[in-house]
Amino acid sequence: MPELPEVETIRTAIEPLIRGERLIEIELRDRTIIRGDAEAFRSSVMNTRVTDVTRRGKHLLLLLETGRGIALHLRMTGSLLLKEPERPNRVRAVLSFANGTRLFFSDMRRLGTITPVESIEDYICRLGPEPLGDEFTPDRLACCLAKHRIPVKAALLDQHIVAGIGNMYADEALFEAGMHPLTPANALRDEQIFHLCQAIRAVLERAITCQGASINTYALPNGERGTAHDTFRVAHKQGAPCPECGATIARLMIRKRGACYCPSCQHLRNDSTV
DNA sequence: CATTGTCCCTGGAAGC
DNA sequence: TGCTTCCAGGGACAAT
């Protein structure tokens, strides 16, 4: 599932291929991928030049010379491939550029979206801070968490609080911070939040180094798989032994989402020493 | 306002 | 073996 590290890996791969290039064709094999009017979208971006390829959280952003942009969200099973994949029926859109680069938006479960963006700033301001950026600080995270009594796991998945963390990296960050996923967000002490901040950065940076986690359908644009899942310690590890203490990794449901954690290493009490 | 629940979507796994 | 049911989860939206 593409989360921040996967989207960043994709961004890094395609940026040198399409930056400065003109978008010459948009093939919509499934026009429901466009949020809004598909024809209006096509005419508004056709034959414009891509000036930059950026990312905010899990959103991949193509900035255009017109000042507008295109936001791509891969959701659960989306991928951006440079060649027609083996399952062409899963391709929902193809973006073609003047230099011959073609991006195939493949998406088995058809939950991904392409959104026309009038103002990048207006689009981005709906999202929380970028966890690898300077604006993501322990103070800011503490300020956000203090407003909520929801489980800290649910808070990490809230893109208004911090952008880019999905289910598997939330589990990994909470393990790294020694924090039980059900800990109320507003019960965390400043010291714990500091450690959580560090854990989030460490987990995401490690995953980017591994070019993302290919547990299911995620692949790099060239079709290769990432290896971040090989470094996972609790995510998708239910029933396996904890790498730290050997206890069996448990799984519970929080808001209909699975949460894998070590019942021995991750404590609910907030007086635990980290 | 804060929080929880529902829906969307498909394929693989599990159960009968 | 073949059918049905459930589950995976990101985010918009509805309900409480």
Side-chain angles (χ1 to χ4, degrees), chain A residues 35-80:
Chain A
R35 293 184 68 85
D37 187 308
E39 280 315 309
F41 164 75
R42 187 206 298 271
S43 60
S44 72
V45 301
M46 191 65 88
N47 287 317
T48 58
R49 199 178 297 272
V50 174
T51 55
D52 208 353
V53 182
T54 65
R55 177 189 57 73
R56 181 61 172 262
K58 306 169 191 171
H59 302 249
L60 186 64
L61 302 166
L62 308 188
L63 277 55
L64 305 173
E65 58 187 341
T66 56
R68 289 197 281 259
I70 302 172
L72 307 175
H73 201 303
L74 303 173
R75 293 283 175 91
M76 302 299 301
T77 57
S79 56
L80 278 185

Side-chain angles (χ1 to χ4, degrees), chain A residues 123-139:
Chain A
Y123 185 83
I124 280 179
C125 74
R126 306 172 302 118
L127 296 166
E130 171 66 28
L132 299 182
D134 294 336
E135 70 269 32
F136 183 64
T137 62
D139 282 351

Side-chain angles (χ1 to χ4, degrees), chain A residues 111-151:
Chain A
L111 293 168
T113 53
I114 297 177
T115 306
V117 175
E118 286 296 319
S119 157
I120 295 292
E121 287 71 28
D122 289 351
Y123 185 83
I124 280 179
C125 74
R126 306 172 302 118
L127 296 166
E130 171 66 28
L132 299 182
D134 294 336
E135 70 269 32
F136 183 64
T137 62
D139 282 351
R140 176 158 181 180
L141 183 59
C143 190
C144 286
L145 293 181
K147 298 174 189 165
H148 302 280
R149 36 180 255 153
I150 58 176

Side-chain angles (χ1 to χ4, degrees), chain A residues 206-233:
Chain A
R206 187 186 309 143
I208 290 173
T209 303
C210 296
Q211 301 193 100
S214 288
I215 284 184
N216 291 320
T217 58
Y218 163 75
L220 273 68
N222 65 9
E224 291 175 7
R225 291 161 59 84
T227 58
H229 51 283
D230 294 333
T231 72
F232 284 176
R233 290 173 289 184

Side-chain angles (χ1 to χ4, degrees), chain A residues 17-273:
Chain A
L17 300 177
I18 66 173
R19 184 172 183 167
E21 288 299 320
R22 197 169 291 278
L23 188 54
I24 59 170
E25 190 184 347
I26 300 173
E27 182 189 348
L28 296 177
R29 301 185 187 177
D30 172 10
R31 54 185 47 225
T32 67
I33 196 173
I34 306 292
R35 293 184 68 85
D37 187 308
E39 280 315 309
F41 164 75
R42 187 206 298 271
S43 60
S44 72
V45 301
M46 191 65 88
N47 287 317
T48 58
R49 199 178 297 272
V50 174
T51 55
D52 208 353
V53 182
T54 65
R55 177 189 57 73
R56 181 61 172 262
K58 306 169 191 171
H59 302 249
L60 186 64
L61 302 166
L62 308 188
L63 277 55
L64 305 173
E65 58 187 341
T66 56
R68 289 197 281 259
I70 302 172
L72 307 175
H73 201 303
L74 303 173
R75 293 283 175 91
M76 302 299 301
T77 57
S79 56
L80 278 185
L81 302 168
L82 295 169
K83 292 178 181 172
E84 181 98 36
E86 294 179 16
R87 305 278 202 100
N89 55 322
R90 293 180 177 177
V91 174
R92 305 178 63 202
V94 187
L95 306 184
S96 299
F97 298 85
N99 65 352
T101 300
R102 291 200 292 168
L103 291 180
F104 295 83
F105 193 133
S106 178
D107 185 12
M108 180 184 78
R109 277 159 65 179
R110 304 202 301 138
L111 293 168
T113 53
I114 297 177
T115 306
V117 175
E118 286 296 319
S119 157
I120 295 292
E121 287 71 28
D122 289 351
Y123 185 83
I124 280 179
C125 74
R126 306 172 302 118
L127 296 166
E130 171 66 28
L132 299 182
D134 294 336
E135 70 269 32
F136 183 64
T137 62
D139 282 351
R140 176 158 181 180
L141 183 59
C143 190
C144 286
L145 293 181
K147 298 174 189 165
H148 302 280
R149 36 180 255 153
I150 58 176
V152 62
K153 169 71 186 282
L156 293 186
L157 295 178
D158 185 337
Q159 304 297 299
H160 301 98
I161 294 175
V162 52
I165 301 174
N167 208 37
M168 57 192 183
Y169 293 113
D171 283 352
E172 287 298 303
L174 289 172
F175 176 82
E176 177 117 354
M179 200 173 286
H180 193 289
L182 283 176
T183 312
N186 61 1
L188 295 169
R189 291 177 293 108
D190 286 347
E191 183 189 342
Q192 291 178 292
I193 293 175
F194 179 78
H195 284 298
L196 180 58
C197 235
Q198 286 188 316
I200 289 168
R201 285 210 190 90
V203 162
L204 295 178
E205 284 172 357
R206 187 186 309 143
I208 290 173
T209 303
C210 296
Q211 301 193 100
S214 288
I215 284 184
N216 291 320
T217 58
Y218 163 75
L220 273 68
N222 65 9
E224 291 175 7
R225 291 161 59 84
T227 58
H229 51 283
D230 294 333
T231 72
F232 284 176
R233 290 173 289 184
V234 292
H236 294 95
K237 295 277 187 181
Q238 181 187 16
C242 170
E244 290 294 325
C245 74
T248 301
I249 301 300
R251 184 171 183 271
L252 55 81
M253 296 301 284
I254 301 174
R255 303 263 270 274
K256 294 287 180 187
R257 246 118 226 163
C260 295
Y261 68 106
C262 172
S264 173
C265 294
Q266 295 172 256
H267 309 283
L268 253 180
R269 295 182 304 125
N270 62 5
D271 58 12
S272 61
T273 51

